[in-house]
Amino acid sequence: MMKRLAMLIFLFVFGRIPVFSQQVDCGNIGFESGTTIGWELSNGKVAVANAKLAYQNETAGSINARHYVTSISDGFDPKVTNEKIPMVAPGSTHSIRIGTNYSMGGGSFDRIKTSFLVTPENTLFQYQFALVLQNDNRHTDVEKSGFAIEITDDSGQPLSCNSFGVQLKNGATSTGFKTQGDVEYKNWTTGAIDLRNYIGKIIKIEVTAHGCTGREHFGYAYFDAQCIKSAVKVNALCPDAQGYMTLSVPEGFGTYIWSNGEKTSTARVKANLGEVYTVKISPLDKLDETCQLQLDYKIKYYQSDTAFSRTICEGEEVIVDGESFKTTGIHVKRILRTNVCDSTVRLNLTVVPAANVTQTVAICRGKSLRVGDSVYTKPGTYITPVARPSGCDSMVTTHLIVEEMAFQVVGNPSITQGDSTRLEVQVQPAGVFSVQWSPPLGLACADCPSTWVHPSKSTQYTVSVKNASQACQQSEKVNVFVLPCNIYIPEVFSPNSDQQNDVFFVYGNTCVRQIKEMVVYNRWGEVVFRNENFAFSDPKQGWDGRYLQEIAEGGVYVYKIAVEFTNGETNRYLGSVMLVR
C-alpha cells in the first residue's frame, strides 16, 4: 500500500493554496474547453514589401486544420524526432497548433487573437509556446518562416515587455533553437507579463505563425496561456516549529532571486512579524531578461480556531504541526508561534482498517491471472494493491502456480459399417485428470480415457479433458468415419515412378477378406497381369504397369476381379483401367 502523508496543517490550519494554473476571469484563454471559444481565428498571405515581412489579405476563419486544438491523446509532434515535443503544454489538457505543418506550406500566415479585462485576480498573463520552423538558405532572412506574440492595451499601444518574435536566419541557428535536418525547433518555453498596472483595462493578445514567403517551407507553433494572480503564495499561514514559512510564486520562469538569497520558485523564510520578502522573476530561455517581475510578501499575524474531519487508511497518518495522528478519534492541537500565529485545530479522524487477502491460484500455461490492474503469467508470489470503494487499497498476496497439460487422441478414426474402433486420450504430463466424451451415442464409456466407439454413422465427438486442479481445461473434436462395406477400383494409373498412383490395385475395407483373383488384359486379349488370393489395399500385390519386364503401352486395359467378403460371398467385377505414361 502506498503511504500518503496528509499534511493537514497546510490544508486546514493555514489554508489551502490555489494552484497557479487556475484561470481567473479569462474564459477559454487556455483552450481548456477543447475549443477556440473566445479567440478570433484568421489567415492570410505573407510576402515581402519594402524589404520587410508583410501580412496581407487577412481573412477571418481557419482553413486546412491550420488552427487545431490539441489534446493529450495527440501525443508528440510528428516532425521532430530528436526529442519529444508534446502537442499539449506541460500541465495543461489542451493547447492550440497554428500554422502550416505540411510540405509546400509556405506563403501564408495563421493568427489567433483575444482580449480580456484585467482584474486584481488575473494580473499575471503567463503563456507557453513551442515552435517548428522549416529553413532554407536559398531565402533571404526576411523571406523565412517565423513566429510572433504581441500584447497591447485596448488602444493598440504595446505594453512594456509585451512581445516575443523570431524569424529564421541564414548561416546560423536561431538563439534558443535546435536543428533536425532543415527544421529548427524550440521546445515548450514559458513567458509572462505583469499586468498590475493595467487593472480595469482591456488587454489584447495576438499570436502569429507563418511559413516562408514562397510556397515551399512550413512554419507552425503550439501555444497555451493562463491568467493568474501576480502574488506570492504561502503554503502555510502559520510558521513551522522552527519559525519558518514557505513562500511560492508561479513556476516556469527562467530565474528567481529572493531577498533572502533563495533561487527557486519557492523560498523558506524566517517568519518575523511585519518583515517583507521580495522575489525578482525573469523570463525563461532567452526571452527578454530585462522584463523582470517583482513580487512582495509581508509576514502577518494569524489567529484561528479550526475543526475538520478526515478519513485515512490504516498505515497512513495525518500530521498537524509536526505531530502525527494515526488512530480514530477527536484530536486537539494548539499551535503557538510567538507573535505570528495562534491557532487551535480539532481533528475528527477516522482510520479505515486494512484489508489483506492471501490466495493460492493455479492457471494453465498460456493463460493469465488478473489481480486489480496487474496481470500475471509466470509462477511466483505477488503482492498487489487493489483499490476499494473506501479509497484504501487492499493488499492481495497471490501464490501463483502455473500448470501444464497437453493431450492427443489416438486410434483408427475410420471403420466399416458395423465395426468398432478404440479411441484413447493420452495426456502429458501423466497424472490425475478427468475425461468427458460427447455425444454419448455409440460410446462404451463416456468418461473413460479409453473407450470403444461403435457409431452407426459418421459422427463427430468432442472430448474434454481437465487436470486435477481444473486449472487446465482443453477440448478437441474427433471425427469417426463409418464407411460402407465396399471396394474401390481406380480408373486411371500412371506407372512413372513419381510415387503417386504408380500401381493399379484394389482398395477395400474390413468387410473384405481377400482378392481371390485379379486378371488384366491388353487390347489383343493377352494376359498382362494375374494374381490370386492376396490382401486388399496392398499396392505390392497390384499391377505396376509392366508387361514382359517393360512398361506397357499407354491405353485402355480390361480387368476381371473376384473379391471375397467376410460374410462368405464372392463378387466379380469387370471393367477397364487407363494406363497413362
Side-chain angles (χ1 to χ4, degrees), residues 480-505:
V480 176
F481 299 99
V482 178
L483 305 177
C485 185
N486 208 339
I487 64 169
Y488 169 69
I489 303 174
E491 297 178 349
V492 179
F493 79 114
S494 56
N496 55 8
S497 300
D498 65 353
Q499 307 302 315
Q500 295 185 10
N501 203 25
D502 286 335
V503 178
F504 173 62
F505 64 99

Side-chain angles (χ1 to χ4, degrees), residues 311-512:
T311 300
I312 62 173
C313 303
E314 183 180 343
E316 298 177 343
E317 61 183 349
V318 174
I319 296 179
V320 179
D321 193 36
E323 184 174 353
S324 173
F325 299 96
K326 301 180 180 180
T327 59
T328 297
I330 297 176
H331 307 278
V332 179
K333 175 73 174 179
R334 187 180 182 191
I335 303 170
L336 288 173
R337 295 289 186 267
T338 61
N339 61 345
V340 177
C341 179
D342 182 358
S343 177
T344 300
V345 179
R346 290 177 175 83
L347 169 63
N348 184 3
L349 182 61
T350 301
V351 179
V352 178
N356 298 320
V357 178
T358 300
Q359 61 178 354
T360 298
V361 180
I363 62 173
C364 201
R365 184 170 300 280
K367 302 294 184 180
S368 62
L369 174 69
R370 177 179 290 276
V371 182
D373 294 329
S374 300
V375 177
Y376 304 112
T377 59
K378 297 181 180 180
T381 297
Y382 303 95
I383 299 176
T384 312
V386 178
R388 293 189 290 165
S390 64
C392 299
D393 290 347
S394 298
M395 299 307 295
V396 179
T397 300
T398 303
H399 303 292
L400 183 60
I401 301 169
V402 179
E403 300 177 344
E404 296 190 34
M405 186 186 78
F407 77 90
Q408 62 177 344
V409 179
V410 297
N412 183 9
S414 297
I415 60 174
T416 303
Q417 193 170 33
D419 285 350
S420 299
T421 186
R422 184 173 178 270
L423 300 180
E424 181 181 0
V425 174
Q426 296 180 347
V427 181
Q428 294 293 332
V432 178
F433 55 89
S434 62
V435 175
Q436 186 66 47
W437 299 84
S438 65
L441 186 66
L443 295 174
C445 179
D447 57 1
C448 297
S450 177
T451 182
W452 283 96
V453 184
H454 182 71
S456 60
K457 61 181 180 180
S458 296
T459 303
Q460 184 179 79
Y461 292 94
T462 299
V463 57
S464 300
V465 182
K466 300 179 183 178
N467 66 354
S469 68
Q470 298 192 10
C472 293
Q473 303 185 28
Q474 300 174 18
S475 297
E476 183 176 320
K477 296 187 182 299
V478 180
N479 289 300
V480 176
F481 299 99
V482 178
L483 305 177
C485 185
N486 208 339
I487 64 169
Y488 169 69
I489 303 174
E491 297 178 349
V492 179
F493 79 114
S494 56
N496 55 8
S497 300
D498 65 353
Q499 307 302 315
Q500 295 185 10
N501 203 25
D502 286 335
V503 178
F504 173 62
F505 64 99
V506 178
Y507 296 84
N509 50 35
T510 55
C511 64
V512 177

Side-chain angles (χ1 to χ4, degrees), residues 187-221:
N187 215 325
W188 284 100
T189 299
T190 302
I193 183 167
D194 184 10
L195 302 176
R196 286 178 294 181
N197 294 331
Y198 297 90
I199 294 175
K201 297 181 180 180
I202 298 294
I203 296 302
K204 294 182 176 181
I205 314 296
E206 181 179 280
V207 183
T208 307
H210 65 86
C212 69
T213 56
R215 291 180 51 84
E216 299 91 349
H217 306 108
F218 59 78
Y220 60 95

Side-chain angles (χ1 to χ4, degrees), residues 43-47 53 55 63-66 79 98-110 132-136 138-139 143-146 182-183 209-221:
N43 65 90
K45 301 296 183 182
V46 64
L53 184 72
Y55 300 113
I63 57 175
N64 299 329
R66 283 161 36 183
K79 292 193 178 297
I98 57 175
T100 55
N101 67 330
Y102 45 83
S103 10
M104 301 301 289
S108 61
F109 74 90
D110 296 279
V132 182
L133 306 175
Q134 190 178 23
N135 202 349
D136 185 345
R138 290 176 297 176
H139 290 305
E143 296 173 327
K144 292 178 178 290
S145 305
D182 63 351
V183 170
H210 65 86
C212 69
T213 56
R215 291 180 51 84
E216 299 91 349
H217 306 108
F218 59 78
Y220 60 95

Side-chain angles (χ1 to χ4, degrees), residues 82 179-184:
N82 283 356
T179 61
Q180 176 185 300
D182 63 351
V183 170
E184 294 190 25

